[in-house]
Amino acid sequence: MDFDLQWLLLGLPVAFALGWLASRLDFRQWKRDERDSPKAYFKGLNLLLNEQQDKAIDAFIEAVQQDPGTSDLHFALGNLFRRRGEYERAVRVHQHLLGRADLAPAERERAQHALAQDFMKAGLFDRAEEAFKALEGTAFGTDARLSLLTLYERSRDWRAAVETARQLESTGAGSFAARVANYWCELALEADARHQPDEAQAALNRAREAAPQAARPLVLAGQRLARQGRHDAALEAWSELMAINPAAFSLVAGDYAASAVACDQQARALERLKSLYARAPSVDVLQALTRLETDPLARRERLVSHLRSQPTLTAALGLLQERMTSERPFSAAEIENLRQAIGTAAKPLQRYRCAACGFEGQHYFWQCPGCLSWDSYPPHRLEDQ
């Protein structure tokens, strides 16, 4: 059959016209999608800034549907789900991102990090640990190790925490010596609970090696020795603590006095405590001094002196107890010191507190200055509750 060139000449313009029309329609659709997607995105951002998270999520879902290839929208949506506590939906969003073959390596690492955070927030520690470990050697490597450290602390996996802290130090993330010392102290307590004293002592030694200036290893060492009846050795451990960290000694001041009485070293312990109190006065050291001091007059004078410098209820109570065991009445100066101590302690309780936001004030407010709520203040002070 002969081919008619006339039909070819007629068909070319028609084909060109149809192609041009199709391209125009695709271009208009693309322009419309491009215009609608940012509009939905900015709408969600505006709602988020106005703390309307439910509506913001709806807007971001709409934006993702209009532009499913934009990873930033997926990240925004996943983070919103996580903040809302909807961890399952956040996981699905980030797993969807990881399943995309066209995702750039940097975005894939970002999605992996977000997924690990989802598992962490959801309390799925096993899956979170696996997800964080998958970030080894990436730009999120240090952040992943820090998160793993928090995970091991929450799950009380102290040996894994020690190893992770050492890895962080080796990468220049800072010093974790104090935290490592605490991890070894926790291991020592666990060993004591299992009645494994040798393992507990070894853990305390490791704690001292990790942070020689740390207070907790010496606190625990003295307490273990006191429980074993080795009060002389306990006093020496706590005396080292007194020299290294005078402020932390307050935690064992009462135990120190008890061990001194148990091994008949009250006089020596009293002199050490007097020297410490002169450098770092505290209520705990004051009570230990009161326990070791045998002269009632000296005890009373020390309590009055403390009340002058630090009007605390504990010192006031100690002075009242001294009066109950003595026939000597209060002097005018002692009564004034007691009044100041009680007044200072009572002042924070003489406030009104907003039931809506907790804002406290010396005066009653009909409208809270903090949250601007009306009638949110109960008509009684804190000390009446």
PDB file of all heavy atoms in Angstrom, residues 82 85 87-88 91 115-129 132 151 154-155:
ATOM      1  N   ARG A  82       7.358  12.788  67.879  1.00  0.00           N
ATOM      2  CA  ARG A  82       8.136  12.431  69.061  1.00  0.00           C
ATOM      3  C   ARG A  82       7.838  13.377  70.218  1.00  0.00           C
ATOM      4  O   ARG A  82       7.677  12.945  71.363  1.00  0.00           O
ATOM      5  CB  ARG A  82       9.624  12.439  68.739  1.00  0.00           C
ATOM      6  CG  ARG A  82      10.473  11.850  69.864  1.00  0.00           C
ATOM      7  CD  ARG A  82      11.949  12.166  69.701  1.00  0.00           C
ATOM      8  NE  ARG A  82      12.407  11.822  68.383  1.00  0.00           N
ATOM      9  CZ  ARG A  82      13.193  12.599  67.656  1.00  0.00           C
ATOM     10  NH1 ARG A  82      13.562  13.786  68.109  1.00  0.00           N
ATOM     11  NH2 ARG A  82      13.592  12.228  66.468  1.00  0.00           N
ATOM     12  N   GLY A  85       4.789  12.571  71.978  1.00  0.00           N
ATOM     13  CA  GLY A  85       4.733  11.275  72.632  1.00  0.00           C
ATOM     14  C   GLY A  85       4.161  10.186  71.752  1.00  0.00           C
ATOM     15  O   GLY A  85       3.933   9.060  72.219  1.00  0.00           O
ATOM     16  N   TYR A  87       5.304   7.984  69.655  1.00  0.00           N
ATOM     17  CA  TYR A  87       6.574   7.415  69.218  1.00  0.00           C
ATOM     18  C   TYR A  87       6.402   6.418  68.073  1.00  0.00           C
ATOM     19  O   TYR A  87       7.268   6.321  67.202  1.00  0.00           O
ATOM     20  CB  TYR A  87       7.272   6.755  70.409  1.00  0.00           C
ATOM     21  CG  TYR A  87       7.466   7.690  71.570  1.00  0.00           C
ATOM     22  CD1 TYR A  87       6.924   7.413  72.826  1.00  0.00           C
ATOM     23  CD2 TYR A  87       8.183   8.872  71.416  1.00  0.00           C
ATOM     24  CE1 TYR A  87       7.100   8.285  73.891  1.00  0.00           C
ATOM     25  CE2 TYR A  87       8.370   9.747  72.478  1.00  0.00           C
ATOM     26  CZ  TYR A  87       7.811   9.443  73.706  1.00  0.00           C
ATOM     27  OH  TYR A  87       7.980  10.309  74.747  1.00  0.00           O
ATOM     28  N   GLU A  88       5.301   5.678  68.064  1.00  0.00           N
ATOM     29  CA  GLU A  88       5.097   4.707  66.992  1.00  0.00           C
ATOM     30  C   GLU A  88       4.979   5.397  65.638  1.00  0.00           C
ATOM     31  O   GLU A  88       5.548   4.932  64.640  1.00  0.00           O
ATOM     32  CB  GLU A  88       3.843   3.883  67.280  1.00  0.00           C
ATOM     33  CG  GLU A  88       3.602   2.751  66.294  1.00  0.00           C
ATOM     34  CD  GLU A  88       2.394   1.912  66.652  1.00  0.00           C
ATOM     35  OE1 GLU A  88       1.862   2.089  67.758  1.00  0.00           O
ATOM     36  OE2 GLU A  88       1.985   1.092  65.815  1.00  0.00           O
ATOM     37  N   VAL A  91       8.413   6.668  64.621  1.00  0.00           N
ATOM     38  CA  VAL A  91       9.237   5.562  64.105  1.00  0.00           C
ATOM     39  C   VAL A  91       8.872   5.247  62.667  1.00  0.00           C
ATOM     40  O   VAL A  91       9.749   5.041  61.806  1.00  0.00           O
ATOM     41  CB  VAL A  91       9.068   4.320  65.010  1.00  0.00           C
ATOM     42  CG1 VAL A  91       9.622   3.076  64.317  1.00  0.00           C
ATOM     43  CG2 VAL A  91       9.769   4.533  66.343  1.00  0.00           C
ATOM     44  N   LEU A 115      15.645   8.057  64.307  1.00  0.00           N
ATOM     45  CA  LEU A 115      14.998   6.797  64.661  1.00  0.00           C
ATOM     46  C   LEU A 115      15.503   6.287  66.008  1.00  0.00           C
ATOM     47  O   LEU A 115      14.723   5.792  66.835  1.00  0.00           O
ATOM     48  CB  LEU A 115      15.260   5.762  63.566  1.00  0.00           C
ATOM     49  CG  LEU A 115      14.638   4.373  63.768  1.00  0.00           C
ATOM     50  CD1 LEU A 115      13.120   4.471  63.791  1.00  0.00           C
ATOM     51  CD2 LEU A 115      15.102   3.419  62.673  1.00  0.00           C
ATOM     52  N   ALA A 116      16.797   6.413  66.244  1.00  0.00           N
ATOM     53  CA  ALA A 116      17.357   5.992  67.530  1.00  0.00           C
ATOM     54  C   ALA A 116      16.769   6.806  68.677  1.00  0.00           C
ATOM     55  O   ALA A 116      16.472   6.269  69.754  1.00  0.00           O
ATOM     56  CB  ALA A 116      18.880   6.137  67.497  1.00  0.00           C
ATOM     57  N   GLN A 117      16.581   8.111  68.449  1.00  0.00           N
ATOM     58  CA  GLN A 117      15.965   8.953  69.472  1.00  0.00           C
ATOM     59  C   GLN A 117      14.519   8.540  69.728  1.00  0.00           C
ATOM     60  O   GLN A 117      14.046   8.586  70.872  1.00  0.00           O
ATOM     61  CB  GLN A 117      16.033  10.419  69.039  1.00  0.00           C
ATOM     62  CG  GLN A 117      17.437  11.005  69.058  1.00  0.00           C
ATOM     63  CD  GLN A 117      17.450  12.444  68.582  1.00  0.00           C
ATOM     64  OE1 GLN A 117      16.918  12.773  67.529  1.00  0.00           O
ATOM     65  NE2 GLN A 117      18.062  13.307  69.354  1.00  0.00           N
ATOM     66  N   ASP A 118      13.811   8.147  68.674  1.00  0.00           N
ATOM     67  CA  ASP A 118      12.436   7.662  68.855  1.00  0.00           C
ATOM     68  C   ASP A 118      12.405   6.451  69.778  1.00  0.00           C
ATOM     69  O   ASP A 118      11.601   6.375  70.703  1.00  0.00           O
ATOM     70  CB  ASP A 118      11.825   7.280  67.502  1.00  0.00           C
ATOM     71  CG  ASP A 118      11.689   8.460  66.556  1.00  0.00           C
ATOM     72  OD1 ASP A 118      11.656   9.600  67.045  1.00  0.00           O
ATOM     73  OD2 ASP A 118      11.624   8.237  65.337  1.00  0.00           O
ATOM     74  N   PHE A 119      13.280   5.491  69.514  1.00  0.00           N
ATOM     75  CA  PHE A 119      13.328   4.283  70.338  1.00  0.00           C
ATOM     76  C   PHE A 119      13.706   4.623  71.783  1.00  0.00           C
ATOM     77  O   PHE A 119      13.164   4.047  72.730  1.00  0.00           O
ATOM     78  CB  PHE A 119      14.344   3.290  69.764  1.00  0.00           C
ATOM     79  CG  PHE A 119      13.917   2.652  68.474  1.00  0.00           C
ATOM     80  CD1 PHE A 119      14.838   2.396  67.470  1.00  0.00           C
ATOM     81  CD2 PHE A 119      12.599   2.293  68.253  1.00  0.00           C
ATOM     82  CE1 PHE A 119      14.452   1.796  66.287  1.00  0.00           C
ATOM     83  CE2 PHE A 119      12.200   1.701  67.065  1.00  0.00           C
ATOM     84  CZ  PHE A 119      13.123   1.452  66.075  1.00  0.00           C
ATOM     85  N   MET A 120      14.632   5.580  71.931  1.00  0.00           N
ATOM     86  CA  MET A 120      15.071   5.973  73.270  1.00  0.00           C
ATOM     87  C   MET A 120      13.917   6.585  74.058  1.00  0.00           C
ATOM     88  O   MET A 120      13.669   6.232  75.221  1.00  0.00           O
ATOM     89  CB  MET A 120      16.224   6.981  73.144  1.00  0.00           C
ATOM     90  CG  MET A 120      16.815   7.413  74.460  1.00  0.00           C
ATOM     91  SD  MET A 120      17.914   6.167  75.149  1.00  0.00           S
ATOM     92  CE  MET A 120      18.763   7.153  76.387  1.00  0.00           C
ATOM     93  N   LYS A 121      13.200   7.497  73.435  1.00  0.00           N
ATOM     94  CA  LYS A 121      12.081   8.146  74.101  1.00  0.00           C
ATOM     95  C   LYS A 121      10.969   7.150  74.425  1.00  0.00           C
ATOM     96  O   LYS A 121      10.267   7.292  75.432  1.00  0.00           O
ATOM     97  CB  LYS A 121      11.528   9.273  73.228  1.00  0.00           C
ATOM     98  CG  LYS A 121      12.426  10.488  73.111  1.00  0.00           C
ATOM     99  CD  LYS A 121      12.463  11.259  74.410  1.00  0.00           C
ATOM    100  CE  LYS A 121      13.248  12.555  74.257  1.00  0.00           C
ATOM    101  NZ  LYS A 121      13.284  13.328  75.521  1.00  0.00           N
ATOM    102  N   ALA A 122      10.807   6.161  73.575  1.00  0.00           N
ATOM    103  CA  ALA A 122       9.757   5.166  73.780  1.00  0.00           C
ATOM    104  C   ALA A 122      10.143   4.129  74.835  1.00  0.00           C
ATOM    105  O   ALA A 122       9.306   3.296  75.205  1.00  0.00           O
ATOM    106  CB  ALA A 122       9.435   4.473  72.463  1.00  0.00           C
ATOM    107  N   GLY A 123      11.387   4.173  75.314  1.00  0.00           N
ATOM    108  CA  GLY A 123      11.834   3.213  76.310  1.00  0.00           C
ATOM    109  C   GLY A 123      12.230   1.871  75.732  1.00  0.00           C
ATOM    110  O   GLY A 123      12.414   0.906  76.480  1.00  0.00           O
ATOM    111  N   LEU A 124      12.394   1.796  74.413  1.00  0.00           N
ATOM    112  CA  LEU A 124      12.826   0.563  73.749  1.00  0.00           C
ATOM    113  C   LEU A 124      14.355   0.564  73.703  1.00  0.00           C
ATOM    114  O   LEU A 124      14.978   0.812  72.669  1.00  0.00           O
ATOM    115  CB  LEU A 124      12.219   0.475  72.350  1.00  0.00           C
ATOM    116  CG  LEU A 124      10.684   0.543  72.290  1.00  0.00           C
ATOM    117  CD1 LEU A 124      10.198   0.608  70.849  1.00  0.00           C
ATOM    118  CD2 LEU A 124      10.076  -0.661  73.001  1.00  0.00           C
ATOM    119  N   PHE A 125      14.972   0.293  74.834  1.00  0.00           N
ATOM    120  CA  PHE A 125      16.410   0.477  74.971  1.00  0.00           C
ATOM    121  C   PHE A 125      17.211  -0.459  74.073  1.00  0.00           C
ATOM    122  O   PHE A 125      18.262  -0.072  73.552  1.00  0.00           O
ATOM    123  CB  PHE A 125      16.824   0.295  76.434  1.00  0.00           C
ATOM    124  CG  PHE A 125      16.323   1.384  77.338  1.00  0.00           C
ATOM    125  CD1 PHE A 125      16.225   1.191  78.705  1.00  0.00           C
ATOM    126  CD2 PHE A 125      15.948   2.621  76.827  1.00  0.00           C
ATOM    127  CE1 PHE A 125      15.780   2.196  79.540  1.00  0.00           C
ATOM    128  CE2 PHE A 125      15.494   3.634  77.651  1.00  0.00           C
ATOM    129  CZ  PHE A 125      15.412   3.419  79.017  1.00  0.00           C
ATOM    130  N   ASP A 126      16.758  -1.681  73.901  1.00  0.00           N
ATOM    131  CA  ASP A 126      17.501  -2.616  73.053  1.00  0.00           C
ATOM    132  C   ASP A 126      17.566  -2.117  71.610  1.00  0.00           C
ATOM    133  O   ASP A 126      18.631  -2.117  70.977  1.00  0.00           O
ATOM    134  CB  ASP A 126      16.850  -3.997  73.094  1.00  0.00           C
ATOM    135  CG  ASP A 126      17.005  -4.666  74.459  1.00  0.00           C
ATOM    136  OD1 ASP A 126      17.884  -4.222  75.209  1.00  0.00           O
ATOM    137  OD2 ASP A 126      16.256  -5.603  74.759  1.00  0.00           O
ATOM    138  N   ARG A 127      16.423  -1.676  71.100  1.00  0.00           N
ATOM    139  CA  ARG A 127      16.388  -1.186  69.724  1.00  0.00           C
ATOM    140  C   ARG A 127      17.121   0.152  69.611  1.00  0.00           C
ATOM    141  O   ARG A 127      17.756   0.444  68.594  1.00  0.00           O
ATOM    142  CB  ARG A 127      14.941  -1.054  69.265  1.00  0.00           C
ATOM    143  CG  ARG A 127      14.185  -2.375  69.289  1.00  0.00           C
ATOM    144  CD  ARG A 127      12.784  -2.255  68.772  1.00  0.00           C
ATOM    145  NE  ARG A 127      12.758  -2.031  67.333  1.00  0.00           N
ATOM    146  CZ  ARG A 127      11.645  -1.898  66.616  1.00  0.00           C
ATOM    147  NH1 ARG A 127      10.458  -1.988  67.208  1.00  0.00           N
ATOM    148  NH2 ARG A 127      11.706  -1.692  65.315  1.00  0.00           N
ATOM    149  N   ALA A 128      17.027   0.977  70.654  1.00  0.00           N
ATOM    150  CA  ALA A 128      17.750   2.254  70.640  1.00  0.00           C
ATOM    151  C   ALA A 128      19.252   2.021  70.635  1.00  0.00           C
ATOM    152  O   ALA A 128      19.996   2.686  69.902  1.00  0.00           O
ATOM    153  CB  ALA A 128      17.349   3.097  71.857  1.00  0.00           C
ATOM    154  N   GLU A 129      19.709   1.066  71.446  1.00  0.00           N
ATOM    155  CA  GLU A 129      21.139   0.760  71.484  1.00  0.00           C
ATOM    156  C   GLU A 129      21.631   0.314  70.112  1.00  0.00           C
ATOM    157  O   GLU A 129      22.679   0.768  69.633  1.00  0.00           O
ATOM    158  CB  GLU A 129      21.402  -0.330  72.515  1.00  0.00           C
ATOM    159  CG  GLU A 129      22.865  -0.719  72.643  1.00  0.00           C
ATOM    160  CD  GLU A 129      23.080  -1.824  73.651  1.00  0.00           C
ATOM    161  OE1 GLU A 129      22.081  -2.400  74.136  1.00  0.00           O
ATOM    162  OE2 GLU A 129      24.250  -2.126  73.950  1.00  0.00           O
ATOM    163  N   PHE A 132      21.699   3.370  67.735  1.00  0.00           N
ATOM    164  CA  PHE A 132      22.799   4.294  68.012  1.00  0.00           C
ATOM    165  C   PHE A 132      24.140   3.689  67.580  1.00  0.00           C
ATOM    166  O   PHE A 132      25.007   4.395  67.061  1.00  0.00           O
ATOM    167  CB  PHE A 132      22.839   4.650  69.494  1.00  0.00           C
ATOM    168  CG  PHE A 132      21.846   5.702  69.907  1.00  0.00           C
ATOM    169  CD1 PHE A 132      20.953   5.472  70.940  1.00  0.00           C
ATOM    170  CD2 PHE A 132      21.810   6.931  69.273  1.00  0.00           C
ATOM    171  CE1 PHE A 132      20.036   6.438  71.323  1.00  0.00           C
ATOM    172  CE2 PHE A 132      20.897   7.914  69.653  1.00  0.00           C
ATOM    173  CZ  PHE A 132      20.011   7.652  70.675  1.00  0.00           C
ATOM    174  N   LEU A 151      21.658   6.081  77.980  1.00  0.00           N
ATOM    175  CA  LEU A 151      20.885   4.834  77.943  1.00  0.00           C
ATOM    176  C   LEU A 151      21.429   3.835  78.962  1.00  0.00           C
ATOM    177  O   LEU A 151      20.656   3.202  79.701  1.00  0.00           O
ATOM    178  CB  LEU A 151      20.946   4.259  76.529  1.00  0.00           C
ATOM    179  CG  LEU A 151      20.102   3.015  76.212  1.00  0.00           C
ATOM    180  CD1 LEU A 151      19.743   3.000  74.731  1.00  0.00           C
ATOM    181  CD2 LEU A 151      20.849   1.733  76.562  1.00  0.00           C
ATOM    182  N   ARG A 154      20.490   4.835  82.474  1.00  0.00           N
ATOM    183  CA  ARG A 154      19.090   4.565  82.789  1.00  0.00           C
ATOM    184  C   ARG A 154      18.819   3.078  82.973  1.00  0.00           C
ATOM    185  O   ARG A 154      17.980   2.692  83.793  1.00  0.00           O
ATOM    186  CB  ARG A 154      18.190   5.132  81.673  1.00  0.00           C
ATOM    187  CG  ARG A 154      18.167   6.656  81.635  1.00  0.00           C
ATOM    188  CD  ARG A 154      17.321   7.171  80.483  1.00  0.00           C
ATOM    189  NE  ARG A 154      15.927   6.742  80.599  1.00  0.00           N
ATOM    190  CZ  ARG A 154      14.984   7.052  79.714  1.00  0.00           C
ATOM    191  NH1 ARG A 154      15.301   7.790  78.650  1.00  0.00           N
ATOM    192  NH2 ARG A 154      13.749   6.638  79.872  1.00  0.00           N
ATOM    193  N   SER A 155      19.520   2.247  82.235  1.00  0.00           N
ATOM    194  CA  SER A 155      19.340   0.801  82.355  1.00  0.00           C
ATOM    195  C   SER A 155      20.297   0.191  83.391  1.00  0.00           C
ATOM    196  O   SER A 155      20.288  -1.024  83.586  1.00  0.00           O
ATOM    197  CB  SER A 155      19.548   0.124  81.005  1.00  0.00           C
ATOM    198  OG  SER A 155      20.852   0.378  80.498  1.00  0.00           O
TER     199      SER A 155
END
